Amino acid sequence: MKKIVIYLSMILMIFLLVGCNQNNKPTDIKLDIGESTKFSKEEIDNAVDCLKRSFDFEACTLTKIYYNEEISNTAVEDYLQFGNGSVNKVKAENVIVLLSDFDVDNSGDNPVLNPGESYTNYNWILIRDDKNSDWKVDDCGF
């Protein structure tokens, strides 16, 4: 009985290790995080981590994430006035806009984006309920 438990535990461990190794998201994404008077480094890092987890464009590779407070503040104003922010009534201090660059591979597997092209300045609007909440992607696009 002991051997069966050990073998089953080993098999389970192998499946867990193989499953964890299947993460094909690149780890060499360039980050360019400028100075911020609005958010702490930890808040921005958490938003970046959320974006990385959320990026799932088929046949695409995320290459760069950047934060520019001036660009972000302008996009936040538009979001609050004309976008989902006008509906969900989120406060400005709970909205951050990150920018990204990504490449589309040549497979043709992405039905929307052009194969072999690179896209830059793609906006990601992340929101949270309050300063202690996790970020979530609310909108994205150019």
Side-chain angles (χ1 to χ4, degrees):
M1 182 67 171
K2 216 178 202 183
K3 288 183 180 182
I4 293 174
V5 171
I6 291 173
Y7 287 126
L8 288 175
S9 297
M10 288 175 33
I11 291 171
L12 179 62
M13 185 65 82
I14 290 169
F15 279 115
L16 288 173
L17 291 174
V18 170
C20 290
N21 196 27
Q22 295 301 313
N23 184 2
N24 60 356
K25 294 186 179 183
T27 56
D28 59 346
I29 299 168
K30 294 177 186 158
L31 296 178
D32 182 8
I33 307 303
E35 296 296 318
S36 176
T37 58
K38 187 175 178 183
F39 299 108
S40 69
K41 180 181 180 336
E42 181 181 6
E43 289 173 302
I44 296 171
D45 288 345
N46 289 338
V48 167
D49 289 342
C50 177
L51 190 161
K52 286 179 182 178
R53 287 189 308 273
S54 300
F55 186 85
D56 63 354
F57 293 178
E58 192 170 346
C60 295
T61 302
L62 187 61
T63 58
K64 184 177 180 182
I65 298 172
Y66 38 110
Y67 175 75
N68 176 297
E69 191 149 276
E70 184 178 338
I71 293 170
S72 180
N73 286 343
T74 300
V76 167
E77 288 176 22
D78 290 343
Y79 169 81
L80 293 174
Q81 188 172 2
F82 306 111
N84 288 346
S86 64
V87 176
N88 63 25
K89 303 299 182 195
V90 67
K91 295 179 181 176
E93 64 264 18
N94 294 318
V95 181
I96 188 171
V97 175
L98 299 175
L99 299 165
S100 70
D101 297 348
F102 59 91
D103 297 329
V104 182
D105 68 23
N106 288 315
S107 69
D109 289 342
N110 190 299
V112 178
L113 302 172
N114 296 328
E117 287 204 23
S118 295
Y119 290 83
T120 60
N121 298 321
Y122 194 83
N123 289 342
W124 297 84
I125 300 172
L126 294 90
I127 63 171
R128 61 185 178 184
D129 294 328
D130 57 49
K131 196 171 183 92
N132 298 315
S133 300
D134 292 333
W135 291 107
K136 61 184 176 189
V137 175
D138 188 56
D139 201 0
C140 59
F142 288 102

